[in-house]
Amino acid sequence: MAIDANFEQNREVHEEENEHGVTVWGPVDPPEQLGIHGTHVAVDFDICLADGACLEDCPVDVFEWVDTPGHPESEIKAEPAHEEQCIDCMLCVDVCPVDAIDVDSGRAGRT
């Protein structure tokens, strides 16, 4: 199942700004349910497998690894900690094997 492209309408904000400066969209119930992280560049932590393709291919280093101990899919995730740097190239979307990433240039979060 891919990330919900309409998460801003379908989910509530769980946290305006986490320790990495990223908005988290619920529901969140750790460690199993971690929600969607980011707005312009959004990563569904519940389906992210942490294969690292997005970190490797992003030309502007939008992503950072964060620890997610106890999550059933992986114990690290790709946090879009620098989503304001995104240039909308869509490489992260293209390489994500489980469609856990959505980039939308029309969404809030751009500076």
Side-chain angles (χ1 to χ4, degrees), residues 39-41 58-60 62 83-94 102-111:
T39 302
H40 174 67
V41 179
C58 180
V60 293
V62 166
E83 66 181 320
E84 73 282 354
Q85 295 177 188
C86 180
I87 58 173
D88 298 336
C89 69
M90 307 300 278
L91 285 173
C92 59
V93 174
D94 293 341
D102 185 55
V103 174
D104 186 346
S105 60
R107 271 204 297 264
R110 293 288 297 180
T111 56

Side-chain angles (χ1 to χ4, degrees), residues 14-89:
H14 172 75
E15 190 173 4
E16 282 290 335
E17 194 171 292
N18 68 9
E19 68 255 26
H20 305 283
V22 175
T23 301
V24 178
W25 302 80
V28 173
D29 186 19
E32 294 86 13
Q33 198 170 27
L34 302 176
I36 294 176
H37 290 229
T39 302
H40 174 67
V41 179
V43 178
D44 190 332
F45 271 32
D46 297 327
I47 59 176
C48 174
L49 297 174
D51 76 330
C54 57
L55 277 93
E56 292 173 17
D57 286 7
C58 180
V60 293
D61 299 322
V62 166
F63 303 95
E64 290 182 4
W65 286 124
V66 296
D67 292 327
T68 56
H71 191 269
E73 291 298 329
S74 64
E75 296 207 345
I76 59 172
K77 302 291 180 185
E79 178 86 272
H82 307 286
E83 66 181 320
E84 73 282 354
Q85 295 177 188
C86 180
I87 58 173
D88 298 336
C89 69

